[in-house]
Amino acid sequence: MVSTTFTNLSDEKQTKIRKALLKEFTDQPLATAQVAPIVKTAGIARGAFYKYFDGLTDAYKYLYGVAMRDIHSDVNNEVGTEFDPQFYLDQVEAFIKGARDSQYLGLIKMHLMKNESLISQGSIDPNTVSSREWATMILSHEAIKQIMIEPQNESVVMKKFSETLNLLAGKGNA
């Protein structure tokens, strides 16, 4: 977990470190990323890096969390009381647009292609959501992943996603 020493740094210093992290984690998968390029780019001592973060995985999780908060800040998360396929289509489209328009596009692609399996993330507890909600969350993530990795397939993926959401809503035939 990022230390309070890091959070107490000036905004300018934090930004410089985040940019160095972004460069390394966009260019290198987590498995081959190194501290040396980060500290060189950020202009900090190696020891300072370890005062701010427990290690590369901690730094990666921190940066990825910043990226997700940044991108999700423009996404409407107000789920209605009824299952609305258009809501989820809009969510996925908004996330993809937000990712494409952000400085984090390369990081997200690297995450989806190389790093996702290395990072333990809070998964969806199927006991806390309906089967339809669970399926929709899994499908949303997979649609985003496929579009981010192979953008030329976006229209096909979104069409399949829409058809599947309509099936889940009881509005279509298989």
Side-chain angles (χ1 to χ4, degrees), residues 66-78 87 89-104:
V66 168
M68 291 299 102
R69 282 189 299 279
D70 228 28
I71 293 166
H72 281 287
S73 70
D74 293 332
V75 176
N76 172 15
N77 291 317
E78 296 296 321
F87 170 80
L89 286 165
D90 293 345
Q91 292 285 88
V92 167
E93 287 174 349
F95 180 87
I96 290 166
K97 181 181 180 333
R100 285 182 178 149
D101 293 347
S102 80
Q103 63 181 324
Y104 304 110

Side-chain angles (χ1 to χ4, degrees), residues 100 109 145-154 157:
R100 285 182 178 149
K109 282 184 168 185
K145 182 175 181 175
Q146 287 188 17
I147 291 167
M148 297 303 292
I149 293 171
E150 297 184 31
Q152 71 276 12
N153 293 334
E154 181 173 358
V157 171

Side-chain angles (χ1 to χ4, degrees), residues 24-52:
E24 181 67 4
F25 294 135
T26 297
D27 294 346
Q28 295 295 321
L30 182 56
T32 60
Q34 297 180 356
V35 172
I38 295 168
V39 298
K40 182 178 180 183
T41 303
I44 61 172
R46 188 177 187 89
F49 175 88
Y50 288 104
K51 280 188 175 182
Y52 306 148

Side-chain angles (χ1 to χ4, degrees), residues 4-142:
T4 53
T5 306
F6 178 80
T7 58
N8 288 332
L9 292 173
S10 69
D11 288 343
E12 182 182 327
K13 187 88 169 184
Q14 285 184 41
T15 299
K16 194 171 184 180
I17 294 168
R18 276 194 299 272
K19 285 182 179 181
L21 293 172
L22 182 60
K23 178 171 179 11
E24 181 67 4
F25 294 135
T26 297
D27 294 346
Q28 295 295 321
L30 182 56
T32 60
Q34 297 180 356
V35 172
I38 295 168
V39 298
K40 182 178 180 183
T41 303
I44 61 172
R46 188 177 187 89
F49 175 88
Y50 288 104
K51 280 188 175 182
Y52 306 148
F53 307 102
D54 292 337
L56 284 169
T57 300
D58 185 40
Y60 180 86
K61 286 180 177 181
Y62 161 74
L63 182 65
Y64 197 74
V66 168
M68 291 299 102
R69 282 189 299 279
D70 228 28
I71 293 166
H72 281 287
S73 70
D74 293 332
V75 176
N76 172 15
N77 291 317
E78 296 296 321
V79 179
T81 54
E82 303 232 354
F83 184 79
D84 178 14
Q86 191 60 51
F87 170 80
Y88 295 101
L89 286 165
D90 293 345
Q91 292 285 88
V92 167
E93 287 174 349
F95 180 87
I96 290 166
K97 181 181 180 333
R100 285 182 178 149
D101 293 347
S102 80
Q103 63 181 324
Y104 304 110
L105 179 60
L107 174 72
I108 294 166
K109 282 184 168 185
M110 183 66 77
H111 179 80
L112 294 170
M113 291 188 301
K114 303 281 185 175
N115 297 334
E116 189 173 32
S117 64
L118 302 175
I119 302 297
S120 63
Q121 298 171 313
S123 61
I124 303 160
D125 180 355
N127 295 312
T128 63
V129 295
S130 72
S131 297
R132 183 167 53 190
E133 290 168 319
W134 179 83
T136 301
M137 289 179 204
I138 299 296
L139 286 168
S140 297
H141 178 78
E142 187 58 29

